[in-house]
Amino acid sequence: MRFILFSGTTEGRRLSRALAALGGAVTVCVATEYGKEEQGEAPGITVLSGRMDESQMARTVAGADLCVDATHPYAVQASRAIRAACEETGTPLLRLLREESEAPDGTEVFPTAQAAAQWLKNTQGNILLTTGAKELGVFAPLGGERLYPRVLPLASSLESCAAAGVPSSHILALQGPFSQELNEALIRQHHIAWLVTKDGGPAGGFGEKAAAAQAAGAGLVLIRRPQEEGLDYGTVLQRCREMMGCG
């Protein structure tokens, strides 16, 4: 059977390998060369890298037995385009949802990055941003001197930091996963008052961030996950197994 998997997450990589091990022909689509590197190579898996528009997605999914959207929970535009491409081509689609986390008491929760940034204008102290380079422009008005963005060690990430006015000494160009101990060390070393995060679930290290903020005395600011419907990893894998006659 032919599977198209839009990935870039831990769950997506795990599913692609599971389907290939069952004998499926799996094409994994990732947005960047970094995502391709993270996906890695394995028998039965073909990796396509590069951002696609809806028409390119439609050409990719056409004729597949199943498309699985395993993109990041906050990749709203990508998920919308994948859904439209599958509807256009009549391709069955499953949405793989990452497990959510429970926010600790006292967490400041906001629906968008813009709302979080607006609220932070009325606070003081350094801010550890763990929301990725794409959100930097939203927080730039707070002043680069307050910001300590943790971003992937890519040239594009450094360019985003520079555009947001973040001093080079404040850029934390690191690749996860991050332990609670490392998160705590960064909070203490840079005198962080607020840690800003998305709900990446257990796979995205949310628990380690929340525990570190509490232990080190930093406030936790959470950008709420967009609401959507989908299935967990185990259910998606079981559906695929049933399609392949594996039970």
Side-chain angles (χ1 to χ4, degrees):
M1 298 193 72
R2 179 170 170 247
F3 296 94
I4 305 296
L5 180 61
F6 287 89
S7 185
T9 60
T10 303
E11 297 86 352
R13 292 189 288 274
R14 183 181 170 197
L15 181 64
S16 68
R17 286 167 172 74
L19 295 178
L22 291 170
V26 185
T27 298
V28 178
C29 304
V30 294
T32 64
E33 282 298 313
Y34 177 82
K36 182 177 181 179
E37 180 182 328
E38 284 286 283
Q39 171 66 36
E41 298 181 358
I45 298 176
T46 300
V47 184
L48 304 178
S49 64
R51 300 187 187 281
M52 297 184 188
D53 59 26
E54 187 179 315
S55 62
Q56 291 171 317
M57 289 178 177
R59 289 194 294 270
T60 301
V61 303
D65 294 291
L66 179 69
C67 175
V68 178
D69 176 7
T71 57
H72 195 274
Y74 291 80
V76 177
Q77 292 183 344
S79 289
R80 187 179 297 122
I82 293 167
R83 188 180 308 110
C86 288
E87 289 175 354
E88 178 184 336
T89 57
T91 306
L93 171 68
L94 294 179
R95 172 61 167 141
L96 196 168
L97 290 182
R98 174 174 282 186
E99 182 182 350
E100 293 189 59
S101 299
E102 185 175 346
D105 291 340
T107 302
E108 301 291 345
V109 182
F110 298 93
T112 64
Q114 290 81 358
Q118 182 64 34
W119 183 83
L120 284 165
K121 283 183 179 181
N122 299 316
T123 67
Q124 295 182 339
N126 295 338
I127 301 167
L128 175 59
L129 291 176
T130 66
T131 52
K134 289 183 180 180
E135 305 285 3
L136 275 173
V138 175
F139 294 96
L142 298 174
E145 289 294 333
R146 289 189 69 188
L147 304 180
Y148 286 78
R150 189 164 71 193
V151 295
L152 290 172
L154 303 172
S156 58
S157 298
L158 300 181
E159 291 169 0
S160 295
C161 289
V166 178
S168 57
S169 59
H170 288 201
I171 301 173
L172 308 174
L174 301 168
Q175 179 179 343
F178 303 101
S179 65
Q180 178 182 336
E181 291 76 16
L182 179 54
N183 284 319
E184 276 190 52
L186 292 174
I187 292 170
R188 297 183 192 280
Q189 179 175 339
H190 298 293
H191 307 289
I192 299 300
W194 303 98
L195 188 158
V196 182
T197 183
K198 296 176 179 178
D199 177 12
F206 178 83
E208 288 80 0
K209 295 178 197 176
Q214 184 176 27
L220 187 65
V221 176
L222 174 64
I223 300 170
R224 187 184 298 119
R225 209 184 263 196
Q227 293 298 309
E228 60 176 338
E229 295 182 357
L231 305 170
D232 62 23
Y233 175 86
T235 303
V236 170
L237 178 57
Q238 181 59 29
R239 293 277 184 89
C240 293
R241 289 177 61 88
E242 291 170 357
M243 289 181 64
M244 300 174 74
C246 300

